[in-house]
Amino acid sequence: KTTHHRRTQTSSRMFASSRAQVVVSPPKKVQSIKRTRKSSIKCSSASSSSTTTSEEDNTDFSRRQAVLSTAAGAFALTQNVNPSYALSGFNVVKETRDGYQFIYPVGWQEISVDGQAKVFKDIIEPLESISLNIYPTERESLKDIGTAQEVAETLVKQALSAPGALGKLLSAKERTDKDGHLYYSFEFVSKTKSYERHALTTVTITQGKFFTLTTGSSERRWDKMKERLNAANDSFQVYY
């Protein structure tokens, strides 16, 4: 009990000053999402007369190499994501400076929110969004703060629920990626007088940074959105 109390106090102090924002109002400035055009590959039949020049051979080879490189890059970005999601209906965010990546549903637009590293949201459904916060920390691992259940309870009550909202933790779990990074993921509901939001969060610590990725939707649309939101939440990973 003493250990649990100390962990809870430590967690409370760490996150009390960092309350995540729930974006519910239309964005003032919407940044356009860069879309990658699908490149078509044209295959021409071999000519009856063998007059192919070395320059044409080099061009074909370069095109094949470009296609292979693009495919390899896409696979590397989404290797931990269900292929059906990675190839259809999602965009990939990869930030090399801070060393993280995740996916989010196509159609959501990036907006700027003070204090948050990345925010994408649906411009029609204000409670459907995904946001990433990065805080400096002296902790080396999530284990230094507490268990998945302890950390989740502290964050839901003190940081992830909007002011005046009642947060309820539904579940918490942990996972470790192939490089040994530890993640805590949890599901919770945040309820106010005007709305009820069903959300998912994944947190991790690496290189002196505490990462918090949160996505969710209104409770009304949860059944429709939960597969895509779970895919986005599970796709989050760091690589430093």
Side-chain angles (χ1 to χ4, degrees), residues 11 15 145-160 168-173 184-188 201 203:
S11 301
F15 303 117
I145 305 173
T147 65
Q149 185 76 18
E150 291 168 345
V151 172
E153 287 176 349
T154 299
L155 287 175
V156 169
K157 292 178 181 179
Q158 300 186 16
L160 296 175
K168 180 181 179 182
L169 179 65
L170 301 179
S171 64
K173 61 183 180 180
Y184 290 166
S185 296
F186 46 95
E187 180 179 351
F188 65 98
T201 291
V203 298

Side-chain angles (χ1 to χ4, degrees), residues 13-126:
R13 289 195 299 271
M14 182 175 180
F15 303 117
S17 61
S18 304
R19 180 175 298 276
Q21 302 178 31
V22 178
V23 183
V24 297
S25 59
K28 295 182 179 180
K29 294 183 180 180
V30 177
Q31 302 176 5
S32 59
I33 299 174
K34 295 182 180 179
R35 301 180 182 275
T36 305
R37 295 181 178 177
K38 296 181 179 179
S39 57
S40 58
I41 305 174
K42 297 182 179 179
C43 299
S44 57
S45 58
S47 173
S48 55
S49 58
S50 55
T51 58
T52 304
T53 64
S54 59
E55 182 179 353
E56 291 172 334
D57 288 339
N58 290 334
T59 300
D60 290 340
F61 177 76
S62 297
R63 287 175 179 172
R64 287 194 296 270
Q65 288 295 97
V67 172
L68 290 174
S69 297
T70 301
F75 174 77
L77 286 174
T78 58
Q79 59 182 327
N80 294 324
V81 181
N82 187 313
S84 63
Y85 291 129
L87 299 178
S88 176
F90 285 89
N91 291 323
V92 178
V93 176
K94 183 174 183 180
E95 176 58 59
T96 57
R97 183 183 63 181
D98 289 317
Y100 65 82
Q101 66 184 45
F102 61 90
I103 64 174
Y104 66 92
V106 167
W108 289 9
Q109 297 191 10
E110 184 171 13
I111 64 172
S112 177
V113 178
D114 291 341
Q116 298 190 332
K118 288 287 182 181
V119 179
F120 296 89
K121 67 171 293 183
D122 189 297
I123 60 175
I124 298 176
E125 296 289 341

Side-chain angles (χ1 to χ4, degrees), residues 81 85 90 103 226-236:
V81 181
Y85 291 129
F90 285 89
I103 64 174
K226 63 182 179 180
E227 288 190 10
R228 278 174 281 180
L229 298 180
N230 272 292
N233 190 57
D234 292 344
S235 73
F236 181 65

Side-chain angles (χ1 to χ4, degrees), residues 123-143:
I123 60 175
I124 298 176
E125 296 289 341
L127 293 181
E128 291 178 14
S129 64
I130 188 167
S131 61
L132 177 69
N133 292 276
I134 305 175
Y135 307 113
T137 179
E138 296 181 356
R139 306 290 181 174
E140 296 183 356
S141 170
L142 291 172
K143 294 291 188 183

